[in-house]
Structures are given as C-alpha cells and as structure tokens.
Amino acid sequence: KTEPLNLEVQKIWSDSAENLHTSDSITVKLYKDSVLFDTQILNCRNNWRYKWENLSGGASFTVKEDDFILYGWYINIFVSSIV
C-alpha cells in the first residue's frame, strides 16, 4: 500500500517584491494522472501558497499555473508523506 501524500505549492516572485503584487493572483491547477483534480487561487492573502492534504500516494500529480503571466517567477512544490 502506498502512503498518502501532502503536496504544497508556493509561488515565488523572482523580483523579490511580493508587495508589488498585492492585487495580483494566479490560478494553479492540480492534475491527478493527467486529469484535472482541483483548482486553487494563490494570492498575497494566502501567502502565495496552497497545500493539498491526504492525496493518494500511488497517483502521479502535476501542478500548472493557469494563464501564465510573464512576470519573473517560479513555483516551489513540496511533497511529504503522511506518517
């Protein structure tokens, strides 16, 4: 049996000026085995983070930003097993 996973996504602005993006938001989509599983909005109110919990550990997950904006940025993805 595969252990469940927690998956956290965080948007990091490469200009290091998150205070310049207070009115911005992005939509991230979580795909489970290539099928859309969930959609979340990241913004300054949630510190540009979201955490999915108790995901099935045997699946393949991909996170993509909807409507990619050409600011400088990258996304961190953290995966942890639930113990």
Side-chain angles (χ1 to χ4, degrees):
K1 181 181 175 190
T2 306
E3 295 295 321
L5 298 174
N6 291 334
L7 180 67
E8 181 175 0
V9 63
Q10 175 187 21
K11 181 166 181 110
I12 306 292
W13 295 95
S14 66
D15 59 12
S16 300
E18 291 182 6
N19 59 336
L20 296 177
H21 302 284
T22 56
S23 63
D24 294 335
S25 66
I26 65 163
T27 301
V28 291
K29 293 182 177 180
L30 178 67
Y31 293 85
K32 177 182 177 183
D33 296 325
S34 301
V35 176
L36 181 61
F37 180 75
D38 191 33
T39 302
Q40 294 294 324
I41 294 174
L42 304 184
N43 55 41
C44 67
R45 289 182 299 282
N46 58 20
N47 285 329
W48 301 98
R49 291 178 181 253
Y50 186 80
K51 185 175 186 177
W52 291 276
E53 298 182 314
N54 204 23
L55 299 170
S56 83
S60 172
F61 291 97
T62 305
V63 176
K64 295 183 181 176
E65 181 178 347
D66 200 25
D67 297 329
F68 176 76
I69 298 172
L70 292 177
Y71 297 122
W73 64 273
Y74 60 93
I75 292 179
N76 278 343
I77 300 173
F78 307 96
V79 179
S80 60
S81 295
I82 298 172
V83 179

